[in-house]
Amino acid sequence: MSQTGALMGFVHRRRRGAELFLLVLALAVGIGAYAAVGLGVDGEVPVNLIGYGGWLTALVLAAHFTLRFFAPYADPVLLPVVAALNGLGLAIIYRLDLAKEAAGRPHDFAQQQLIWMTLGVGLFIGTMVLVRDHRVLQRFTYTSALAAVVLLLLPLVPGLGYSNFGAQIWIRVGPFSFQPGELAKVLLVIAIAGYLVLHRDALALAGRRFLFLDLPRGRDLGPILAMWVVSLGILVFQRDLGSSLLFFGLFLVMLYVATERAGWPVVGLVLFSGGAFLGYQLFGHVRNRFNIWLDPMAYYDATPGSFQLVEGLFGMAWGGLIGRGFGEGRPDRVPVAESDFIIASIGEELGLTGVMAVLLLYALIVERALRTALICRDGFGKLVATGLAAVIALQVFVVVGGVTGLIPLTGLTTPFLSYGGSSLVANWVIVALIARISDQARRPPPDLSPDSGPTDDDATQVVRLR
């Protein structure tokens, strides 16, 4: 598309002014929602609104000016959409803090989330400054794969990892806790993209035709079997159904995009179905999740049961089309509402309209990442942008599908909305990588016309001396 556009004389504009205008609207969403929470709950504007709004504005402007100086051709829609989601998430978390404070269980999750956002924006800026060309990351294909595996194994190390809500996915270093899988998903995208760029011809061309499908050869099944084993290991040893689905789905999407062969998703779905059946037969926590999904009301009072899921569904049903309004609902009845079930809180107080608006914002992020993949000039950048879009899309589908009862409930967080430092920081790095690739893709191609280069008279020549 880019090369065709260049031939037609089309050149992308920087559009940083448009981005700044959209950022003003995004800040209005975040700061306005924060003020509305105070008015709805306490009947007055929060006393720290100026300080909160000023800090949020400073963070967003810092990211904006970083793009102006270090990636002037980056996609102008991406940062405003992320800022709107992050600001809305902070307001919802603040609403839950006020509800818990009224119930005698005070928390300051909103303040901690703003600190994590500060760190996330800092890493966004650092990524934009240090990674001037995304193709450099291809050199670290196998290093990224090794680092991702190590990060995934860290929660299983005795004394370092610990279980939280039944999932062994956290590590604790001193007073700090961290979820290594969030960073591992970024490294896996880089590793898979680098591997597929080198081996996609063998994976795409060789195979045998069975009925109407071109199935891969047995000798080429190694990567997908390895990823299947890793996903099963996450499910069995860490009891993390969400990450297991996310990593295997990510690999399948990137494999299909790289090879354009429908046989790979078919093989992947067969392996996934076999793993899910074995998990249901052999492991009680998988069977429990599946049974709760089929009949949540039957497990309402059980331990572990469906209390969280059912209360979330009740809240969303009570919210209806336009919601109860900030301060009029009871989102604090749902356990861990600020993290895994923040979508249920939005559905209760902002209604189906609010949930659909949030989903549209996620769809915009995925669309802009896929658009970047389409116009990117190199195969590695195309696959990384596609993989990062798949990470966002799969994570939102798994979380929203679990909360609404579409699929069995998992333990993933909603990107940019949910409370959680690991998730927020990793997602800001994802946005930085997409912005970096879009900057390279939207830049005008170098002028290679004969008139632009040196003439034959002063051209540099290489002379071999023997």
Side-chain angles (χ1 to χ4, degrees):
M1 177 177 176
S2 176
Q3 293 171 353
T4 305
L7 292 175
M8 297 174 63
F10 176 76
V11 176
H12 288 281
R13 295 168 59 188
R14 299 187 180 191
R15 307 304 298 268
R16 300 271 69 88
E19 180 185 77
L20 185 59
F21 173 73
L22 293 175
L23 282 175
V24 173
L25 298 181
L27 286 170
V29 170
I31 300 174
Y34 193 82
V37 167
L39 289 171
V41 177
D42 297 328
E44 59 183 15
V45 175
V47 294
N48 62 345
L49 180 65
I50 296 178
Y52 164 79
W55 188 246
L56 188 63
T57 303
L59 290 177
V60 170
L61 289 181
H64 167 71
F65 284 108
T66 301
L67 290 181
R68 275 188 180 270
F69 287 107
F70 294 98
Y73 285 92
D75 190 302
V77 178
L78 199 59
L79 181 61
V81 172
V82 170
L85 282 172
N86 212 152
L88 180 61
L90 281 164
I92 300 294
I93 295 170
Y94 176 59
R95 162 70 183 97
L96 292 166
D97 281 350
L98 293 180
K100 291 179 179 178
E101 184 179 349
R105 296 177 285 119
H107 287 284
D108 58 348
F109 287 139
Q111 185 178 355
Q112 295 176 30
Q113 183 78 342
L114 191 58
I115 295 174
W116 286 118
M117 181 184 175
T118 304
L119 181 58
V121 173
L123 285 179
F124 173 89
I125 295 172
T127 304
M128 298 305 300
V129 173
L130 295 176
V131 183
R132 300 296 182 90
D133 189 337
H134 64 272
R135 290 168 292 188
V136 175
L137 299 175
Q138 191 175 355
R139 301 175 188 169
F140 304 100
T141 296
Y142 296 104
T143 306
S144 299
L146 179 62
V149 172
V150 171
L151 286 173
L152 289 174
L153 292 177
L154 279 180
L156 301 178
V157 177
L160 186 62
Y162 69 97
S163 176
N164 194 13
F165 298 106
Q168 186 84 14
I169 57 177
W170 294 86
I171 62 172
R172 181 179 286 118
V173 180
F176 301 101
S177 59
F178 185 72
Q179 190 174 341
E182 291 290 340
L183 183 57
K185 66 185 182 185
V186 183
L187 295 173
L188 272 180
V189 169
I190 296 172
I192 295 172
Y195 174 82
L196 290 177
V197 165
L198 295 177
H199 300 91
R200 63 180 171 185
D201 289 341
L203 297 174
L205 300 178
R208 295 177 180 175
R209 191 166 186 82
F210 179 73
L211 296 179
F212 55 90
L213 278 178
D214 291 324
L215 296 176
R217 299 177 302 181
R219 72 184 70 172
D220 296 328
L221 293 177
I224 195 170
L225 288 176
M227 201 64 206
W228 182 63
V229 170
V230 170
S231 299
L232 281 183
I234 294 172
L235 177 64
V236 173
F237 297 109
Q238 299 185 356
R239 299 191 173 191
D240 187 8
L241 179 60
S243 296
S244 176
L245 282 171
L246 176 64
F247 291 143
F248 193 65
L250 166 67
F251 183 75
L252 278 186
V253 169
M254 295 184 69
L255 189 57
Y256 175 69
V257 170
T259 61
E260 299 180 4
R261 290 183 59 173
W264 284 110
V266 171
V267 172
L269 288 175
V270 170
L271 290 173
F272 176 79
S273 301
F277 179 75
L278 288 176
Y280 180 83
Q281 295 294 331
L282 299 178
F283 306 108
H285 63 280
V286 177
R287 189 161 51 249
N288 186 48
R289 290 284 181 93
F290 189 77
N291 291 335
I292 287 175
W293 173 59
L294 291 179
D295 189 2
M297 293 304 297
Y299 296 86
Y300 183 76
D301 294 325
T303 305
S306 60
F307 178 80
Q308 185 186 36
L309 175 62
V310 172
E311 288 294 325
L313 292 174
F314 282 163
M316 288 187 287
W318 195 33
L321 183 62
I322 58 175
R324 309 300 302 176
F326 284 123
E328 302 299 325
R330 287 297 308 277
D332 55 305
R333 285 178 56 88
V334 182
V336 205
E338 70 280 354
S339 181
D340 297 355
F341 269 68
I342 198 167
I343 284 292
S345 303
I346 294 174
E348 181 174 347
E349 299 216 320
L350 298 181
L352 178 63
T353 307
V355 173
M356 294 304 296
V358 168
L359 294 181
L360 281 176
L361 291 177
Y362 284 119
L364 268 178
I365 296 177
V366 175
E367 186 268 341
R368 304 308 291 192
L370 293 178
R371 180 188 291 262
T372 297
L374 282 174
I375 64 175
C376 189
R377 302 184 183 95
D378 64 284
F380 178 74
K382 285 178 180 292
L383 285 174
V384 171
T386 304
L388 297 177
V391 166
I392 298 291
L394 286 171
Q395 191 159 345
V396 172
F397 171 75
V398 169
V399 173
V400 178
V403 171
T404 56
L406 179 64
I407 61 174
L409 186 63
T410 61
L412 290 178
T413 56
T414 314
F416 303 108
L417 281 179
S418 297
Y419 170 76
S422 312
S423 172
L424 188 59
V425 168
N427 284 312
W428 271 101
V429 173
I430 287 176
V431 172
L433 291 176
I434 297 174
R436 170 54 68 203
I437 297 172
S438 70
D439 175 61
Q440 295 281 343
R442 289 164 52 89
R443 280 179 183 273
D447 187 2
L448 301 177
S449 61
D451 296 337
S452 63
T455 63
D456 292 339
D457 295 335
D458 56 358
T460 302
Q461 297 182 3
V462 178
V463 179
R464 185 184 298 276
L465 300 177
R466 292 181 180 275

